[in-house]
């Protein structure tokens, strides 16, 4: 009766079972998974931003004037936002959508027939898998290697994934900064991706939703001391050589740029060699015209909203940096090892493998009222290792208390294991 695209395992994981088993009268746990800035830091969203939203009441929003690529004023505001980052883009190369999730769906429909494949990174955000399967597209992972300073791309892994697709691969996805690893592409890695896609005839899809949130110590100016290994804050600012120019789609949106996931506005920037780029954009416009999913009011509000971006970005980065410093101080000398994080607002902790990830997360919730994600939620699966994923957005007091409880629980478990 139902589509096979929805034939996922419907059983609950142990952490969900443990959450459901909590007494209704129990206080909420110390939530170290919160990823919504409006929930974690409501003080950022003040009267000034509310005034920017007042345009949502503009009578112009009552008029229905379908524009498949998006209103020119909105696309111009997005181009202005990039200009403020030192990136010059043509608004005519933008196609607006309701979210980056919808952008993925549209691109899968643009590029793939049922049964075709896309290559995507592991670890990464699990939603990509669901979106692809809902479009009847296979997902073929390529592993990111846990190096000393970041999770790195490998030519061997890309080639192996392409071979596993058996000629059905149509696109390669990269997420930079990655969620949850916080890794940022290096110049050499971007060149590798472009070269691989150009040679294999793949489109390159670049998810850049966290690109505004490089941690201050890793700003491009300081990282440029090693030009060959320079961080790439945005693919849009990196020229491609003539022999490595694949059809490229760069995704972003208000959910992360402004920390406003409830305002459904995302975008796709289309680039690549002509006439392929124009053909892709014309077809993508047809897909957008079929759905017309972006509301007029949010497009009218975009210029005023994006004018607030520098203030919100600065405050979010300061909060994330403070929490990251708290994390390093709290866990120093403990058996909990934070992995390097370069950007975004998530981090990964390696725990002693005396317990499984499920056992760690359930015990932390049950005994310490601390909520974290197991690493396998993000395909962070390495034999003999245990990881948890947590957000750096949590309110400072909750973050500090939750970390201390986590550190002490790990020490207690290790002490008990040693005594037994």
């Amino acid at each position: 009766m139902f589509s096979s695209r929805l034939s996922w395992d419907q059983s609950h994981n142990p952490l969900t079972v443990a959450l459901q088993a909590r007494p209704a009268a129990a206080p909420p746990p110390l939530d170290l998974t919160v990823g919504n800035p409006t929930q974690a830091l409501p003080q950022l969203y003040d009267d000034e931003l509310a005034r920017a939203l007042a345009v949502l009441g503009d009578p112009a929003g009552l008029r229905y004037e379908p524009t498949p690529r998006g209103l020119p004023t909105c696309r111009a505001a997005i181009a202005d936002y990039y200009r403020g980052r030192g990136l010059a883009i043509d608004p005519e190369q933008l196609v607006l959508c309701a979210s980056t999730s919808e952008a993925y769906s549209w691109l899968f429909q643009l590029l793939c027939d049922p049964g075709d494949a896309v290559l995507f990174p592991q670890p990464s955000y699990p939603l990509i898998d669901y979106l692809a399967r809902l479009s009847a597209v296979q997902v073929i992972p390529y592993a990111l290697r846990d190096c000393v300073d970041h999770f790195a791309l490998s030519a061997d892994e890309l080639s192996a994934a392409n071979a596993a697709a058996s000629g059905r691969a149509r696109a390669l996805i990269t997420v930079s900064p990655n969620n949850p690893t916080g890794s940022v592409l290096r110049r050499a890695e971007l060149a590798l991706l472009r070269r691989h896609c150009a040679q294999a005839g793949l489109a390159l899809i670049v998810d850049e939703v966290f690109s505004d949130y490089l941690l201050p110590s890793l700003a491009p100016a300081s990282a440029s001391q090693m030009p060959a290994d320079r961080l790439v804050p945005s693919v849009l600012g990196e020229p491609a050589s003539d022999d490595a120019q694949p059809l490229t789609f760069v995704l972003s949106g208000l959910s992360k740029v402004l920390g406003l996931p409830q305002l459904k506005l995302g975008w796709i920037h289309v680039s690549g060699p002509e006439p392929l780029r124009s053909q892709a954009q014309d077809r993508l416009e047809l897909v957008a015209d079929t759905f017309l999913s972006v509301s007029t009011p949010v497009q009218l509000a975009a210029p005023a909203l994006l004018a607030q971006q520098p203030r919100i970005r600065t405050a979010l980065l300061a909060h994330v940096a403070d929490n990251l410093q708290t994390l390093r101080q709290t866990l120093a000398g403990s058996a909990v090892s934070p992995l390097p994080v370069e950007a975004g607002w998530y981090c990964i902790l390696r725990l002693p493998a005396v317990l499984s990830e499920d056992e760690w997360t359930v015990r932390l919730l049950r005994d310490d009222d601390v909520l974290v994600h197991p690493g396998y939620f993000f395909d962070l699966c390495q034999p003999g290792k245990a990881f948890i994923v947590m957000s750096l957005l949590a309110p400072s007091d909750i973050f500090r208390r939750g970390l201390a409880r986590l550190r002490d629980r790990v020490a207690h478990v290790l002490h008990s294991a040693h005594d037994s």
Side-chain angles (χ1 to χ4, degrees):
M1 184 175 182
F2 300 109
S3 168
S4 61
R5 289 171 292 185
L6 296 169
S7 60
W8 290 297
D9 182 1
Q10 299 294 308
S11 61
H12 293 309
N13 60 70
L15 181 59
T16 300
V17 171
L19 279 168
Q20 293 175 341
R22 286 174 64 84
L30 300 177
D31 188 355
L32 303 187
T33 69
V34 58
N36 179 353
T38 65
Q39 178 184 350
L41 300 167
Q43 66 272 22
L44 292 185
Y45 302 92
D46 54 14
D47 292 343
E48 192 171 357
L49 192 62
R51 286 190 292 273
L53 285 171
V55 74
L56 292 174
D58 188 331
L62 299 176
R63 294 196 297 271
Y64 181 59
E65 297 178 1
T67 309
R69 292 190 188 184
L71 294 178
T73 53
C74 184
R75 288 186 281 117
I78 294 168
D80 286 342
Y81 147 73
Y82 279 109
R83 191 173 297 111
R85 297 176 57 190
L87 301 172
I89 69 166
D90 184 350
E92 293 303 312
Q93 292 178 242
L94 290 169
V95 177
L96 306 189
C97 51
S99 64
T100 49
S101 296
E102 184 171 66
Y104 277 118
S105 179
W106 285 4
L107 292 176
F108 296 154
Q109 294 169 50
L110 170 73
L111 299 167
C112 302
D113 289 324
D116 282 344
V118 294
L119 314 183
F120 78 109
Q122 283 187 333
S124 191
Y125 195 62
L127 186 63
I128 297 171
D129 189 8
Y130 288 88
L131 291 168
R133 291 176 62 182
L134 284 172
S135 295
V137 171
Q138 298 181 55
V139 287
I140 308 293
Y142 62 90
L144 302 178
R145 295 181 176 175
D146 183 2
C147 298
V148 174
D149 58 348
H150 82 304
F151 281 76
L153 280 166
S154 159
D156 291 342
E157 290 289 347
L158 295 179
S159 297
N162 207 48
S166 302
R168 299 303 301 269
R170 296 294 177 263
L172 184 149
I173 298 168
T174 187
V175 184
S176 179
N178 183 278
N179 177 15
T181 71
S183 295
V184 181
L185 282 175
R186 272 52 173 171
R187 173 181 282 178
E189 292 176 322
L190 175 58
L192 169 63
L193 286 172
R194 284 172 163 167
R195 186 168 59 252
H196 180 88
C197 288
Q199 292 173 352
L202 305 179
L204 177 61
I205 300 173
V206 186
D207 185 333
E208 290 190 351
V209 295
F210 281 109
S211 64
D212 283 306
Y213 298 99
L214 271 66
L215 295 174
S217 62
L218 290 167
S222 62
S224 63
Q225 295 173 4
M226 298 179 62
D229 197 39
R230 185 170 65 83
L231 295 174
V232 178
S234 173
V235 169
L236 294 176
E238 291 293 321
S241 62
D242 291 339
D243 60 345
Q245 292 192 48
L247 180 62
T248 302
F249 304 91
V250 175
L251 316 184
S252 193
L254 296 189
S255 177
K256 302 301 184 295
V257 166
L258 283 171
L260 289 170
Q262 74 276 31
L263 296 182
K264 307 302 291 183
L265 179 64
W267 54 83
I268 305 168
H269 180 273
V270 187
S271 63
E274 294 290 0
L276 187 60
R277 188 208 64 81
S278 296
Q279 294 169 350
Q281 185 145 349
D282 289 345
R283 286 163 172 78
L284 185 58
E285 183 173 349
L286 177 59
V287 175
D289 194 23
T290 303
F291 290 94
L292 293 174
S293 58
V294 189
S295 72
T296 297
V298 75
Q299 294 184 75
L300 294 173
L305 290 169
L306 286 168
Q308 299 295 316
Q309 197 275 339
R311 176 181 68 88
I312 292 175
R313 172 185 176 274
T314 298
L316 282 173
L317 267 176
H319 178 77
V320 167
D322 285 347
N323 273 353
L324 188 57
Q325 181 65 22
T326 297
L327 179 143
R328 289 167 176 160
Q329 292 173 348
T330 303
L331 300 181
S334 76
V336 182
S337 303
L339 274 61
V341 56
E342 298 170 335
W345 54 62
Y346 288 91
C347 65
I348 300 170
L349 304 181
R350 181 183 290 123
L351 304 186
V354 295
L355 298 178
S356 70
E357 291 178 356
D358 280 328
E359 289 169 330
W360 276 121
T361 55
V362 169
R363 186 168 297 193
L364 285 165
L365 179 66
R366 184 192 64 204
D367 297 343
D368 302 289
D369 288 327
V370 173
L371 179 61
V372 293
H373 289 309
Y376 72 82
F377 277 14
F378 299 83
D379 293 321
L380 189 66
C381 303
Q382 296 185 18
K385 296 182 180 180
F387 299 96
I388 60 171
V389 176
M390 56 189 296
S391 170
L392 294 166
L393 277 186
S396 300
D397 179 60
I398 290 175
F399 190 79
R400 183 176 60 254
R401 290 159 56 205
L403 270 179
R405 292 185 190 183
L406 185 153
R407 176 201 60 203
D408 294 346
R409 175 57 53 190
V410 172
H412 176 76
V413 168
L414 289 178
H415 181 73
S416 299
H418 177 74
D419 288 347
S420 61

